[in-house]
Amino acid sequence: MNTTKLSAAPARSHRNGFLRFVRSAAIFFRGFVENPGMVASVVPSSQATIDAMLAKVDWDRCKLFVEYGPGVGTFTTRILDLLPPDGRLVAIDTNPRFIDFLKKTIDDPRFEAVLGSAADVESIVRNAGHAHADYVISGLPFTALPKEVAEGIVAATYAVLRDGGAFMTYQFLPTAHDLTAAQFDRTDRGLALLNIPPCVLAWGWKQEDPLAAREAAE
């Protein structure tokens, strides 16, 4: 009897994971069809891209992580896997379909999905009970945004980050990297070749790079 229960649980978990994948793919594609200018790609980011993008995060110092344009949660679920028990993730999206999907499929007290604009990140962070964010990651298609809107989002992101925090972007063109480099104190750049299509990765650091500071002290 116990053996049956133990063997059934993984099958149930696998089935639930597969159903979430099918639902998320359908929602993601529908969001792209309805508003292609605000969805960066018809294909969610690859696991290699996610791992490369999050590799520079100092999770021990992360109390508040903010995500712009979470879509169906491709990055969201991985961030929650790595986030400390006392950390918090706030995901912001203008698409009510994506926000509704995330609220229905992610049951985690550390997670909050907000229907709104990344330009309002400072007020959203304050409403979440924090003065600053530690990290912000963005899947927004900056190439599709008016220049003044894109620049305003990057400026608001710089303002909301703590010293040593970072703004991370992944885009098919270097637009987001260039916008970040214009406003942040230091930027790192990478390339995810295994993504479809390949994309430019960028990290904008505010004043202090916490990983570099820690490594220098060791």
Side-chain angles (χ1 to χ4, degrees):
M1 183 174 179
N2 290 337
T3 303
T4 302
K5 286 185 178 180
L6 290 172
S7 62
R12 219 169 22 243
S13 175
H14 177 77
R15 183 166 60 252
N16 290 340
F18 177 74
L19 289 175
R20 188 187 190 283
F21 170 79
V22 171
R23 289 181 61 198
S24 65
I27 293 289
F28 191 88
F29 182 74
R30 187 168 180 179
F32 178 84
V33 170
E34 291 177 346
N35 197 351
M38 289 307 296
V39 178
S41 170
V42 70
V43 180
S45 300
S46 69
Q47 188 60 51
T49 300
I50 296 170
D51 292 341
M53 195 82 263
L54 299 178
K56 294 178 180 287
V57 175
D58 183 354
W59 295 103
D60 291 337
R61 295 187 64 191
C62 186
K63 300 301 181 184
L64 179 63
F65 205 116
V66 176
E67 183 179 11
Y68 300 158
V72 294
T74 308
F75 269 87
T76 311
T77 51
R78 182 56 179 156
I79 292 169
L80 287 170
D81 286 341
L82 299 169
L83 196 67
D86 61 344
R88 191 170 181 186
L89 170 60
V90 175
I92 307 169
D93 207 302
T94 58
N95 190 320
R97 193 182 304 281
F98 290 155
I99 292 297
D100 183 61
F101 177 79
L102 293 174
K103 288 181 176 180
K104 288 180 178 178
T105 58
I106 297 180
D107 182 17
D108 191 317
R110 301 171 300 165
F111 176 68
E112 180 182 2
V114 177
L115 179 63
S117 170
D120 300 321
V121 62
E122 292 176 272
S123 62
I124 291 172
V125 165
R126 284 196 300 270
N127 290 338
H130 291 260
H132 298 286
D134 297 290
Y135 295 92
V136 176
I137 191 167
S138 173
L140 298 178
F142 278 97
T143 52
L145 298 174
K147 184 180 179 181
E148 62 275 12
V149 173
E151 290 176 343
I153 290 174
V154 177
T157 304
Y158 185 91
V160 84
L161 281 168
R162 64 163 170 83
D163 291 349
F167 177 44
M168 300 174 280
T169 60
Y170 50 100
Q171 301 278 275
F172 304 137
L173 297 173
T175 305
H177 169 271
D178 296 344
L179 288 166
T180 301
Q183 299 201 44
F184 277 75
D185 304 312
R186 183 175 69 82
T187 57
D188 296 330
R189 181 170 173 171
L191 184 64
L193 295 174
L194 298 180
N195 202 71
I196 302 175
C199 63
V200 177
L201 311 181
W203 298 262
W205 298 96
K206 184 173 181 178
Q207 295 184 12
E208 173 200 14
D209 179 345
L211 289 181
R214 188 177 66 183
E215 289 170 357
E218 292 177 348

Coordinates of all heavy atoms in Angstrom, one line a residue, residues 76-143:
T76 N 10.1 33.3 -13.6 CA 9.5 33.4 -12.3 C 9.7 32.2 -11.4 O 10.1 32.3 -10.2 CB 8.0 33.7 -12.4 OG1 7.8 34.7 -13.4 CG2 7.4 34.1 -11.1
T77 N 9.4 31.0 -11.9 CA 9.5 29.8 -11.2 C 10.9 29.5 -10.8 O 11.2 29.0 -9.6 CB 8.9 28.6 -11.9 OG1 9.5 28.5 -13.2 CG2 7.4 28.8 -12.1
R78 N 11.9 29.8 -11.6 CA 13.3 29.5 -11.3 C 13.7 30.5 -10.2 O 14.5 30.1 -9.3 CB 14.1 29.6 -12.5 CG 15.6 29.3 -12.3 CD 15.8 27.9 -11.7 NE 17.2 27.6 -11.5 CZ 17.6 26.7 -10.6 NH1 16.8 26.1 -9.8 NH2 18.9 26.5 -10.4
I79 N 13.3 31.7 -10.3 CA 13.7 32.7 -9.3 C 13.2 32.2 -7.9 O 13.9 32.3 -6.9 CB 13.1 34.1 -9.6 CG1 13.8 34.7 -10.9 CG2 13.3 35.1 -8.5 CD1 13.2 35.9 -11.4
L80 N 12.0 31.8 -7.9 CA 11.4 31.3 -6.6 C 12.1 30.1 -6.1 O 12.3 29.9 -4.9 CB 9.9 31.0 -6.8 CG 9.0 32.2 -6.9 CD1 7.6 31.7 -7.4 CD2 8.9 33.0 -5.7
D81 N 12.7 29.2 -7.0 CA 13.4 28.1 -6.6 C 14.7 28.5 -5.8 O 15.2 27.9 -4.9 CB 13.9 27.2 -7.8 CG 12.7 26.4 -8.4 OD1 11.7 26.2 -7.6 OD2 12.8 26.0 -9.5
L82 N 15.3 29.6 -6.2 CA 16.6 30.1 -5.7 C 16.4 31.2 -4.6 O 17.3 31.4 -3.8 CB 17.4 30.7 -6.8 CG 17.8 29.7 -8.0 CD1 18.4 30.5 -9.1 CD2 18.8 28.7 -7.5
L83 N 15.3 31.8 -4.5 CA 15.0 32.9 -3.5 C 15.0 32.3 -2.1 O 14.5 31.3 -1.8 CB 13.7 33.5 -3.8 CG 13.4 34.9 -3.2 CD1 14.3 35.9 -3.8 CD2 11.9 35.2 -3.5
P84 N 15.7 33.1 -1.2 CA 15.7 32.6 0.2 C 14.3 32.5 0.8 O 13.3 33.2 0.3 CB 16.5 33.7 0.9 CG 17.3 34.4 -0.1 CD 16.4 34.3 -1.4
P85 N 14.1 31.8 1.9 CA 12.7 31.6 2.5 C 12.1 33.0 2.9 O 10.9 33.1 2.9 CB 13.0 30.7 3.7 CG 14.2 30.0 3.3 CD 15.1 30.9 2.5
D86 N 13.0 33.9 3.3 CA 12.4 35.2 3.7 C 12.5 36.3 2.6 O 12.2 37.4 2.8 CB 13.2 35.8 4.9 CG 14.7 36.0 4.6 OD1 15.2 35.4 3.6 OD2 15.4 36.7 5.4
G87 N 12.8 35.8 1.4 CA 12.8 36.7 0.2 C 11.4 36.9 -0.4 O 10.4 36.2 0.0
R88 N 11.3 37.8 -1.3 CA 10.0 38.1 -1.9 C 10.2 38.4 -3.4 O 11.2 39.1 -3.8 CB 9.3 39.3 -1.2 CG 7.8 39.4 -1.7 CD 7.1 40.4 -0.8 NE 5.7 40.6 -1.2 CZ 4.9 41.5 -0.6 NH1 5.3 42.3 0.3 NH2 3.6 41.5 -1.0
L89 N 9.3 38.0 -4.2 CA 9.3 38.3 -5.7 C 8.1 39.0 -6.1 O 7.0 38.5 -5.9 CB 9.5 37.0 -6.5 CG 9.3 37.0 -8.0 CD1 10.3 38.0 -8.6 CD2 9.4 35.6 -8.6
V90 N 8.2 40.1 -6.7 CA 7.1 40.9 -7.3 C 7.2 40.9 -8.8 O 8.2 41.4 -9.3 CB 7.1 42.3 -6.7 CG1 5.9 43.1 -7.4 CG2 6.9 42.3 -5.2
A91 N 6.2 40.4 -9.5 CA 6.2 40.3 -10.9 C 5.2 41.3 -11.5 O 4.0 41.4 -11.0 CB 5.9 38.9 -11.4
I92 N 5.6 42.2 -12.4 CA 4.8 43.2 -12.9 C 4.6 43.0 -14.4 O 5.5 42.8 -15.2 CB 5.5 44.6 -12.7 CG1 5.8 44.8 -11.3 CG2 4.6 45.7 -13.2 CD1 6.8 46.0 -11.1
D93 N 3.3 43.0 -14.8 CA 3.0 42.8 -16.3 C 1.7 43.6 -16.6 O 0.8 43.8 -15.8 CB 2.7 41.3 -16.6 CG 3.0 41.0 -18.0 OD1 2.4 41.6 -18.9 OD2 3.9 40.1 -18.3
T94 N 1.7 44.1 -17.8 CA 0.5 44.9 -18.3 C -0.5 44.0 -18.9 O -1.6 44.5 -19.2 CB 1.0 46.0 -19.3 OG1 1.6 45.3 -20.5 CG2 1.9 47.0 -18.8
N95 N -0.2 42.7 -19.1 CA -1.2 41.8 -19.7 C -2.0 41.1 -18.6 O -1.4 40.3 -17.9 CB -0.4 40.8 -20.6 CG -1.4 40.0 -21.4 OD1 -2.4 39.5 -21.0 ND2 -0.9 39.7 -22.6
P96 N -3.3 41.4 -18.5 CA -4.1 40.7 -17.4 C -4.2 39.2 -17.6 O -4.3 38.5 -16.6 CB -5.5 41.4 -17.6 CG -5.5 41.9 -19.0 CD -4.1 42.3 -19.3
R97 N -4.0 38.7 -18.8 CA -4.1 37.3 -19.1 C -2.9 36.6 -18.4 O -3.0 35.5 -17.8 CB -4.1 37.0 -20.6 CG -4.5 35.5 -20.9 CD -4.4 35.3 -22.4 NE -5.3 36.2 -23.1 CZ -6.6 36.0 -23.2 NH1 -7.2 35.0 -22.6 NH2 -7.3 36.9 -23.9
F98 N -1.7 37.2 -18.5 CA -0.5 36.6 -17.9 C -0.6 36.7 -16.4 O -0.3 35.7 -15.7 CB 0.7 37.3 -18.4 CG 1.1 37.1 -19.8 CD1 1.9 38.0 -20.5 CD2 0.7 35.9 -20.4 CE1 2.2 37.8 -21.8 CE2 1.1 35.7 -21.8 CZ 1.8 36.6 -22.5
I99 N -1.1 37.8 -15.9 CA -1.2 38.0 -14.4 C -2.2 37.0 -13.8 O -1.9 36.4 -12.8 CB -1.6 39.4 -14.1 CG1 -0.5 40.4 -14.4 CG2 -2.0 39.6 -12.6 CD1 0.8 40.2 -13.6
D100 N -3.3 36.8 -14.5 CA -4.3 35.8 -14.0 C -3.7 34.4 -14.0 O -3.9 33.7 -13.1 CB -5.5 35.9 -14.9 CG -6.6 35.0 -14.4 OD1 -7.1 35.2 -13.3 OD2 -7.0 34.1 -15.2
F101 N -2.9 34.1 -15.1 CA -2.3 32.7 -15.1 C -1.3 32.5 -14.0 O -1.3 31.5 -13.3 CB -1.6 32.6 -16.5 CG -0.9 31.3 -16.6 CD1 -1.6 30.1 -16.9 CD2 0.5 31.2 -16.5 CE1 -1.0 28.9 -17.1 CE2 1.1 30.0 -16.6 CZ 0.4 28.8 -16.9
L102 N -0.5 33.5 -13.7 CA 0.5 33.4 -12.7 C -0.2 33.3 -11.3 O 0.2 32.4 -10.5 CB 1.4 34.6 -12.7 CG 2.3 34.8 -13.9 CD1 3.1 36.1 -13.8 CD2 3.3 33.6 -13.9
K103 N -1.2 34.0 -11.1 CA -1.9 33.9 -9.8 C -2.6 32.6 -9.6 O -2.7 32.0 -8.5 CB -3.0 35.0 -9.7 CG -2.4 36.4 -9.5 CD -3.5 37.5 -9.4 CE -3.0 38.8 -9.1 NZ -4.0 39.9 -9.0
K104 N -3.0 32.0 -10.7 CA -3.7 30.7 -10.6 C -2.7 29.5 -10.5 O -3.1 28.4 -9.9 CB -4.6 30.5 -11.8 CG -5.9 31.3 -11.8 CD -6.7 31.1 -13.0 CE -8.0 31.9 -13.0 NZ -8.8 31.7 -14.2
T105 N -1.5 29.7 -11.0 CA -0.6 28.5 -11.1 C 0.6 28.6 -10.1 O 1.2 27.6 -9.9 CB -0.1 28.4 -12.5 OG1 0.6 29.6 -12.9 CG2 -1.2 28.1 -13.5
I106 N 0.8 29.7 -9.5 CA 1.9 29.8 -8.5 C 1.4 30.1 -7.1 O 0.8 31.1 -6.9 CB 2.9 30.9 -8.9 CG1 3.5 30.6 -10.3 CG2 4.0 31.1 -7.8 CD1 4.5 31.7 -10.7
D107 N 1.5 29.1 -6.3 CA 1.0 29.1 -4.9 C 2.2 29.2 -4.0 O 2.8 28.2 -3.5 CB 0.2 27.9 -4.6 CG -0.4 28.0 -3.2 OD1 -0.4 29.1 -2.6 OD2 -0.8 26.9 -2.6
D108 N 2.7 30.5 -3.8 CA 3.9 30.7 -3.0 C 3.7 32.0 -2.2 O 3.5 33.1 -2.9 CB 5.1 30.8 -3.9 CG 6.4 30.7 -3.1 OD1 6.5 31.4 -2.1 OD2 7.4 30.0 -3.5
P109 N 3.8 32.0 -0.9 CA 3.5 33.2 -0.1 C 4.6 34.3 -0.4 O 4.3 35.5 -0.1 CB 3.6 32.7 1.3 CG 4.4 31.5 1.3 CD 4.0 30.8 0.0
R110 N 5.7 34.0 -1.0 CA 6.7 34.9 -1.3 C 6.5 35.7 -2.6 O 7.2 36.6 -3.0 CB 8.1 34.2 -1.4 CG 8.5 33.5 -0.1 CD 9.8 32.7 -0.4 NE 9.5 31.7 -1.4 CZ 10.4 31.0 -2.1 NH1 11.7 31.2 -1.8 NH2 10.1 30.1 -3.0
F111 N 5.4 35.3 -3.3 CA 5.2 35.8 -4.7 C 4.0 36.7 -4.8 O 2.9 36.4 -4.2 CB 5.0 34.6 -5.7 CG 4.7 35.0 -7.1 CD1 5.6 35.6 -7.9 CD2 3.4 34.7 -7.6 CE1 5.3 36.0 -9.1 CE2 3.1 35.1 -8.9 CZ 4.0 35.8 -9.7
E112 N 4.1 37.8 -5.5 CA 3.0 38.7 -5.8 C 3.0 39.1 -7.3 O 4.1 39.5 -7.8 CB 3.1 39.9 -4.9 CG 1.9 40.9 -5.2 CD 2.0 42.2 -4.3 OE1 3.0 42.3 -3.6 OE2 1.1 43.0 -4.4
A113 N 1.9 38.9 -8.0 CA 1.8 39.3 -9.4 C 1.0 40.6 -9.4 O -0.1 40.7 -8.9 CB 1.1 38.2 -10.2
V114 N 1.5 41.6 -10.1 CA 0.9 42.9 -10.1 C 0.6 43.3 -11.5 O 1.5 43.3 -12.4 CB 1.8 44.0 -9.5 CG1 1.2 45.4 -9.6 CG2 2.2 43.7 -8.0
L115 N -0.7 43.7 -11.8 CA -1.1 44.2 -13.1 C -0.7 45.7 -13.1 O -1.3 46.5 -12.4 CB -2.6 44.0 -13.3 CG -3.1 44.5 -14.6 CD1 -2.5 43.8 -15.8 CD2 -4.7 44.4 -14.6
G116 N 0.3 46.1 -13.9 CA 0.7 47.4 -13.9 C 1.9 47.6 -14.8 O 2.3 46.7 -15.6
S117 N 2.4 48.8 -14.8 CA 3.6 49.2 -15.6 C 4.9 49.2 -14.9 O 4.9 49.6 -13.7 CB 3.3 50.6 -16.2 OG 4.5 51.1 -16.9
A118 N 5.9 48.8 -15.5 CA 7.3 48.8 -14.9 C 7.7 50.3 -14.6 O 8.5 50.5 -13.7 CB 8.3 48.2 -15.9
A119 N 7.1 51.2 -15.3 CA 7.4 52.6 -15.1 C 7.0 53.1 -13.6 O 7.5 54.0 -13.1 CB 6.7 53.5 -16.1
D120 N 6.1 52.3 -13.0 CA 5.6 52.6 -11.7 C 6.3 51.7 -10.6 O 5.7 51.6 -9.5 CB 4.1 52.4 -11.6 CG 3.3 53.3 -12.6 OD1 3.8 54.5 -12.8 OD2 2.3 52.9 -13.2
V121 N 7.4 51.2 -10.9 CA 8.1 50.2 -10.0 C 8.3 50.8 -8.7 O 8.2 50.1 -7.6 CB 9.4 49.7 -10.7 CG1 10.4 50.8 -10.9 CG2 10.0 48.6 -9.8
E122 N 8.6 52.1 -8.6 CA 8.9 52.7 -7.2 C 7.7 52.6 -6.3 O 7.8 52.2 -5.2 CB 9.4 54.1 -7.4 CG 10.8 54.2 -8.1 CD 11.2 55.6 -8.3 OE1 10.9 56.2 -9.4 OE2 11.9 56.2 -7.4
S123 N 6.6 53.0 -6.8 CA 5.4 52.9 -6.0 C 4.9 51.5 -5.7 O 4.4 51.2 -4.6 CB 4.2 53.7 -6.7 OG 3.9 53.1 -7.9
I124 N 5.2 50.6 -6.7 CA 4.8 49.2 -6.5 C 5.7 48.6 -5.4 O 5.2 47.8 -4.6 CB 4.9 48.4 -7.8 CG1 3.9 48.9 -8.8 CG2 4.8 46.9 -7.6 CD1 4.0 48.3 -10.2
V125 N 7.0 48.9 -5.4 CA 7.9 48.4 -4.4 C 7.5 48.9 -3.0 O 7.5 48.2 -2.0 CB 9.3 48.7 -4.8 CG1 10.3 48.6 -3.6 CG2 9.8 47.9 -5.9
R126 N 7.1 50.2 -3.0 CA 6.7 50.8 -1.7 C 5.4 50.1 -1.2 O 5.3 49.8 0.0 CB 6.5 52.3 -1.8 CG 7.8 53.1 -1.9 CD 7.5 54.6 -1.6 NE 6.5 55.1 -2.6 CZ 6.9 55.7 -3.8 NH1 8.2 55.8 -4.1 NH2 6.0 56.2 -4.6
N127 N 4.5 49.8 -2.1 CA 3.3 49.2 -1.7 C 3.5 47.8 -1.2 O 2.7 47.2 -0.5 CB 2.3 49.2 -2.9 CG 1.7 50.5 -3.2 OD1 1.7 51.4 -2.3 ND2 1.3 50.7 -4.4
A128 N 4.6 47.2 -1.7 CA 5.0 45.8 -1.2 C 5.7 45.9 0.2 O 6.0 44.8 0.7 CB 5.9 45.2 -2.2
G129 N 5.9 47.1 0.7 CA 6.5 47.2 2.0 C 8.0 47.3 2.0 O 8.6 47.1 3.1
H130 N 8.6 47.6 0.9 CA 10.1 47.7 0.8 C 10.5 49.1 0.3 O 9.8 49.8 -0.4 CB 10.6 46.7 -0.2 CG 10.5 45.3 0.2 ND1 11.5 44.6 0.8 CD2 9.4 44.5 0.2 CE1 11.1 43.4 1.1 NE2 9.8 43.3 0.8
A131 N 11.7 49.5 0.8 CA 12.2 50.8 0.3 C 13.0 50.7 -1.0 O 13.0 51.6 -1.8 CB 13.2 51.4 1.4
H132 N 13.6 49.5 -1.2 CA 14.4 49.3 -2.4 C 14.2 47.8 -2.8 O 13.9 47.0 -2.1 CB 15.9 49.6 -2.2 CG 16.1 51.0 -1.8 ND1 16.1 52.1 -2.7 CD2 16.5 51.6 -0.6 CE1 16.4 53.2 -2.1 NE2 16.6 52.9 -0.8
A133 N 14.6 47.6 -4.1 CA 14.7 46.2 -4.6 C 16.2 45.8 -4.7 O 17.0 46.7 -4.8 CB 14.1 46.1 -6.0
D134 N 16.5 44.6 -4.5 CA 17.8 44.1 -4.6 C 18.2 43.8 -6.1 O 19.3 44.1 -6.5 CB 18.0 42.8 -3.8 CG 17.8 43.1 -2.3 OD1 18.6 43.8 -1.7 OD2 16.8 42.6 -1.8
Y135 N 17.3 43.2 -6.8 CA 17.5 42.9 -8.2 C 16.2 43.1 -9.0 O 15.1 42.9 -8.5 CB 18.0 41.4 -8.4 CG 19.3 41.1 -7.8 CD1 19.4 40.7 -6.5 CD2 20.5 41.3 -8.5 CE1 20.6 40.4 -5.9 CE2 21.7 41.1 -7.9 CZ 21.8 40.6 -6.6 OH 23.0 40.4 -6.0
V136 N 16.4 43.5 -10.3 CA 15.3 43.7 -11.2 C 15.7 43.0 -12.5 O 16.7 43.2 -13.0 CB 14.9 45.2 -11.5 CG1 13.8 45.2 -12.5 CG2 14.5 45.9 -10.2
I137 N 14.8 42.1 -13.0 CA 15.0 41.5 -14.2 C 13.9 41.8 -15.2 O 12.7 41.9 -14.8 CB 15.1 39.9 -14.1 CG1 15.6 39.3 -15.4 CG2 13.8 39.3 -13.7 CD1 16.1 37.9 -15.2
S138 N 14.2 42.0 -16.4 CA 13.2 42.5 -17.4 C 13.2 41.7 -18.7 O 14.2 41.4 -19.3 CB 13.5 44.0 -17.8 OG 12.6 44.4 -18.8
G139 N 12.0 41.3 -19.0 CA 11.8 40.6 -20.3 C 11.0 41.5 -21.3 O 10.5 41.0 -22.3
L140 N 11.0 42.8 -21.0 CA 10.2 43.7 -21.8 C 10.9 43.9 -23.1 O 12.2 44.0 -23.2 CB 10.1 45.1 -21.1 CG 9.4 45.1 -19.8 CD1 9.4 46.5 -19.2 CD2 7.9 44.7 -19.9
P141 N 10.2 44.1 -24.2 CA 10.7 44.3 -25.5 C 11.1 45.8 -25.7 O 10.3 46.5 -26.3 CB 9.6 43.8 -26.5 CG 8.4 44.1 -25.7 CD 8.7 43.9 -24.3
F142 N 12.2 46.2 -25.2 CA 12.6 47.6 -25.2 C 12.6 48.2 -26.7 O 12.4 49.4 -26.8 CB 13.9 47.9 -24.6 CG 13.8 47.9 -23.1 CD1 14.1 46.8 -22.3 CD2 13.5 49.1 -22.4 CE1 14.0 46.8 -20.9 CE2 13.4 49.2 -21.0 CZ 13.6 48.0 -20.3
T143 N 12.9 47.4 -27.6 CA 12.9 47.9 -29.0 C 11.5 48.3 -29.5 O 11.4 49.1 -30.4 CB 13.4 46.8 -30.0 OG1 12.7 45.6 -29.8 CG2 14.9 46.6 -29.7

